[in-house]
Amino acid sequence: MDGLLPELKGKKVATILCGGNIDTTVLGRCLERGLAADGRLLSFTVVVKDAPGGMNSLTKILTESGASIKDILHERAWLLEDVFAVRVRCMVETRNSEHTEQVKAATHYKLQTRRVYRHVRPFHRHTEWTMRKR
């Protein structure tokens, strides 16, 4: 654009580029991958009581710790450990890696059950931690 707009000569100029036609689904995937690359997504599985209040105890811990639930799924059929329990798979968003450690500590301390944690990072092997029932 050099020389096309003489009235801008000697001034600081910024050109704005945007993808106004980007699909919102693709944009969402890009944002989620960015969070994962930044270490701000935590995926974990926890076993809670399959009774009124079981899921509430988990979501209360996540709320108190300041984690944002991105995805949650509970499974009864494939849990072999206990007929009165449910396996819950969660993906939560955290503020940073320090906050991730705080969320892990809170769920481990307050639920006192087996959990498998992993940071979700694209293009890397998942890092997993297993904690056993006390």
Side-chain angles (χ1 to χ4, degrees):
M1 294 186 59
D2 189 29
L4 294 178
L5 300 169
E7 63 272 13
L8 298 178
K9 186 172 180 140
K11 295 182 179 180
K12 291 184 180 182
V13 177
T15 303
I16 299 171
L17 301 174
C18 72
N21 62 348
I22 191 168
D23 182 279
T24 55
T25 304
V26 174
L27 179 60
R29 283 188 222 144
C30 291
L31 292 172
E32 193 165 87
R33 286 187 183 200
L35 289 171
D38 210 20
R40 294 179 51 200
L41 283 183
L42 176 66
S43 175
F44 64 93
T45 301
V46 62
V47 177
V48 298
K49 292 179 184 174
D50 190 11
M55 288 286 283
N56 183 49
S57 63
L58 171 61
T59 57
K60 184 178 179 185
I61 291 167
L62 294 173
T63 299
E64 289 171 352
S65 68
S68 176
I69 299 171
K70 300 285 286 176
D71 192 22
I72 193 164
L73 170 73
H74 69 284
E75 304 171 329
R76 288 185 182 93
W78 294 278
L79 184 64
L80 302 176
E81 290 121 4
D82 186 353
V83 73
F84 299 106
V86 60
R87 178 182 296 130
V88 182
R89 290 188 301 165
C90 295
M91 183 179 294
V92 299
E93 181 181 342
T94 61
R95 293 184 295 273
N96 51 40
S97 58
E98 183 179 310
H99 186 221
T100 297
E101 293 303 317
Q102 291 170 356
V103 172
K104 286 169 47 179
T107 56
H108 177 65
Y109 177 75
K110 293 179 180 177
L111 291 177
Q112 298 180 356
T113 187
R114 184 177 75 80
R115 282 165 287 281
V116 177
Y117 297 92
R118 71 179 179 206
H119 287 285
V120 180
R121 293 184 186 269
F123 316 114
H124 298 284
R125 290 184 70 199
H126 294 299
T127 307
E128 296 192 3
W129 299 268
T130 302
M131 299 177 187
R132 298 280 174 206
K133 197 173 196 174
R134 295 193 222 182

